[in-house]
Amino acid sequence: MKKMRSGVMLAAMALALGWAAPAMSEEAGSGGAPLGAAVASEQQKHAKSVTLAPFTLNGVEVTQDRGRAMLDAFKSPENRKCKPFCVQPKSIDGATTVEVDDFAKMADEINSGKTLIVDMRTPAWYAKGTLPGAISLPYTDLTGKKTKAKAKIKKLKGKNLIAFCNGWWCGQSPTGIRALVEFGYEGKIYYFRGGSQDWADAGLAFVTP
């Protein structure tokens, strides 16, 4: 009975603070075995080795500094447990995979508004910090009611999208991208597989929306 009461109180507290249920569950990570150092090292290799000259993204100067403080969520991906945090596929049908250094190459089309950066994480994650100029489009908005999903997709106006979530260990953007493909999205879809994890590993700063 006490356990039930504490569970109800926790749920009420979560609602009061505006936490979404998916955001809470994604932090749990109590499912399987840790990903391990070898897996994490292999997945982090590119972002940790890339060198980037400063560039501007949606009016924000992006500079590389691996000495900057890193959010706790990205410090030890080797401790993430699969499930729910599993290594994601390197490609998704209907999308083109891009790396963290591709943002500098694509900066002109992003800055012109031709291509949008789309954060597919839950709102709680988005609020913690996102990529410069990224818009919030939670994957849950594309996998729920079809009428809501279609309304969200209509607002994108068929522009090219760079979709991301927390990185190679996060299944949110793959889920969202598959939904977009299923709906027949007209613009080009890019899958930033490394997501926030690669952004942090490359020494790039997040912005608060």
Side-chain angles (χ1 to χ4, degrees):
M1 193 71 175
K2 284 183 179 178
K3 284 184 179 179
M4 280 185 66
R5 280 202 199 109
S6 63
V8 172
M9 286 176 66
L10 184 59
M13 188 185 298
L15 286 171
L17 292 172
W19 295 347
M24 292 182 70
S25 63
E26 71 192 22
E27 285 290 358
S30 58
L35 294 173
V39 169
S41 177
E42 178 61 28
Q43 298 299 325
Q44 293 178 283
K45 186 165 55 177
H46 179 74
K48 284 195 169 186
S49 64
V50 72
T51 300
L52 294 169
F55 63 98
T56 300
L57 203 60
N58 289 318
V60 176
E61 185 179 14
V62 179
T63 57
Q64 188 174 33
D65 177 9
R66 288 197 170 88
R68 75 173 82 244
M70 185 183 287
L71 292 173
D72 288 343
F74 310 114
K75 286 181 180 177
S76 303
E78 65 272 15
N79 293 331
R80 292 279 176 183
K81 293 181 179 180
C82 179
K83 298 179 178 179
F85 308 107
C86 301
V87 177
Q88 298 301 308
K90 292 188 177 180
S91 62
I92 299 173
D93 289 343
T96 300
T97 303
V98 294
E99 302 272 13
V100 65
D101 41 325
D102 287 319
F103 281 87
K105 302 170 189 174
M106 300 172 72
D108 286 345
E109 61 182 274
I110 295 169
N111 294 334
S112 70
K114 180 182 177 182
T115 298
L116 302 176
I117 304 174
V118 180
D119 190 332
M120 289 192 160
R121 302 175 299 169
T122 53
W125 272 111
Y126 179 72
K128 291 177 184 178
T130 189
L131 275 58
I135 63 169
S136 176
L137 178 61
Y139 75 103
T140 49
D141 285 359
L142 300 173
T143 56
K145 291 184 178 179
K146 285 191 175 182
T147 50
K148 182 178 181 180
K150 287 178 179 178
K152 292 283 185 178
I153 291 170
K154 188 176 180 180
K155 288 183 178 180
L156 299 173
K157 299 179 179 179
K159 292 188 177 185
N160 296 338
L161 310 176
I162 303 176
F164 76 98
C165 56
N166 274 330
W168 50 266
W169 48 264
C170 174
Q172 294 177 347
S173 59
T175 301
I177 289 171
R178 290 187 187 103
L180 285 173
V181 172
E182 191 175 329
F183 276 107
Y185 187 72
E186 295 178 358
K188 188 165 186 178
I189 304 171
Y190 296 97
Y191 170 37
F192 178 29
R193 179 177 178 269
S196 295
Q197 182 69 59
D198 273 15
W199 197 260
D201 284 337
L204 306 179
F206 296 96
V207 298
T208 303

